[in-house]
Amino acid sequence: QEQLQPWGAGLLKPSETLSLTCSIYGGSFSDYYWIWIRKSPGKGLEWIGEINHSGSANYNPSLRSRVTISVDTSKNQFSLKVNSVTAADTAAYYCARHARNNYHYLMDVWGKGTTVTVSS
Amino acid sequence: DIQMTQSPSSLSASVGDRVTITCRASQTISTYLNWYQEKPGKAPQVLIFAASSLPSGVPPRFTGSGSGTEFTLTISSVQPDDFATYYCQQSYRIPWTFGQGTKVEIK
């Protein structure tokens, strides 16, 4: 069973860059899209973006200007960067696998959330 | 963006009760609708995909139905392990969006 483990800095100051990485253990890296999602008290679950093994990425338009998702196939990892963070970026951040079943997509494997707090 | 609205936002139930959660989409999404369960301190897990399909390992007391803009998740006989928060999510169009969640608590 595939497992995902997110990691990165948990405390940031306003205007800094959020940087998280998700390591993938077991399973195939190339057959899926790999997702970042966050959950905050104010906005619930919010899809940030996703990437496949070849680096093709999709982003939430609400965050696109500040977000970069990248992939490192040699390490079975994908990463998230969010520039110019504010308190509104305080959230639990999840990485997940986006699988396809016939014509339907589902987020079928999730890592545990990692908390990021933005505070001066 | 497609807005997803769940009701109720929370409910109390006793073990053995039948529980129904509703999710409405702001536009038609056919059957591109998934349900997730989240428990404190644990990663969310998918319960239902394509509106009514169960992934392997999900107990059959969970059923999903609906198409178009209105969907339901039903737990036929709620068990102690089912007290959690449930989210619907549309998989019709990017950006993928979620409902605000329904917390199922013990009465």
Side-chain angles (χ1 to χ4, degrees):
Chain A
Q1 175 68 20
E2 201 151 37
Q3 293 187 352
L4 306 181
Q5 180 64 56
W7 49 279
L11 182 60
L12 298 171
K13 291 182 166 52
S15 80
E16 291 184 334
T17 295
L18 180 157
S19 183
L20 297 175
T21 296
C22 186
S23 296
I24 301 159
Y25 301 98
S28 169
F29 189 73
S30 61
D31 294 338
Y32 306 96
Y33 269 82
W34 302 94
I35 285 180
W36 286 102
I37 288 166
R38 68 183 184 181
K39 188 176 81 167
S40 59
K43 296 194 78 172
L45 285 167
E46 181 178 29
W47 174 75
I48 299 171
E50 61 190 24
I51 195 166
N52 68 7
H53 71 285
S54 62
S56 177
N58 300 304
Y59 296 104
N60 192 323
S62 67
L63 295 166
R64 182 194 299 269
S65 63
R66 298 193 295 128
V67 168
T68 303
I69 298 176
S70 59
V71 64
D72 186 338
T73 55
S74 68
K75 296 181 179 178
N76 271 19
Q77 293 177 345
F78 63 107
S79 298
L80 169 70
K81 290 190 187 299
V82 182
N83 300 325
S84 304
V85 297
T86 69
D89 295 307
T90 294
Y93 285 76
Y94 296 91
C95 53
R97 187 177 79 175
H98 211 189
R100 179 172 172 167
N101 187 305
N102 290 325
Y103 297 100
H104 293 269
Y105 280 93
L106 63 156
M107 301 167 194
D108 67 338
V109 179
W110 294 62
K112 288 188 177 181
T114 186
T115 300
V116 175
T117 302
V118 180
S119 175
S120 55
Chain B
D1 298 3
I2 299 174
Q3 307 301 318
M4 307 302 293
T5 304
Q6 286 180 236
S7 61
S9 56
S10 65
L11 65 90
S12 297
S14 300
V15 172
D17 284 353
R18 181 183 182 89
V19 167
T20 298
I21 300 168
T22 298
C23 177
R24 289 187 174 87
S26 62
Q27 64 183 82
T28 184
I29 58 171
S30 184
T31 58
Y32 290 87
L33 190 283
N34 304 322
W35 290 96
Y36 300 87
Q37 178 192 66
E38 186 187 32
K39 297 178 184 177
K42 292 192 173 183
Q45 69 169 76
V46 60
L47 288 179
I48 301 282
F49 69 97
S52 60
S53 297
L54 263 68
S56 60
V58 174
R61 63 180 179 272
F62 292 97
T63 57
S65 64
S67 67
T69 62
E70 189 153 336
F71 303 86
T72 58
L73 171 69
T74 300
I75 310 172
S76 60
S77 175
V78 72
Q79 299 302 300
D81 193 46
D82 301 338
F83 293 98
T85 301
Y86 295 85
Y87 296 92
C88 60
Q89 175 248 328
Q90 62 83 14
S91 58
Y92 184 77
R93 177 181 298 147
I94 283 175
W96 317 122
T97 48
F98 294 84
Q100 79 279 16
T102 296
K103 188 172 184 179
V104 178
E105 298 174 301
I106 301 173
K107 184 183 288 184

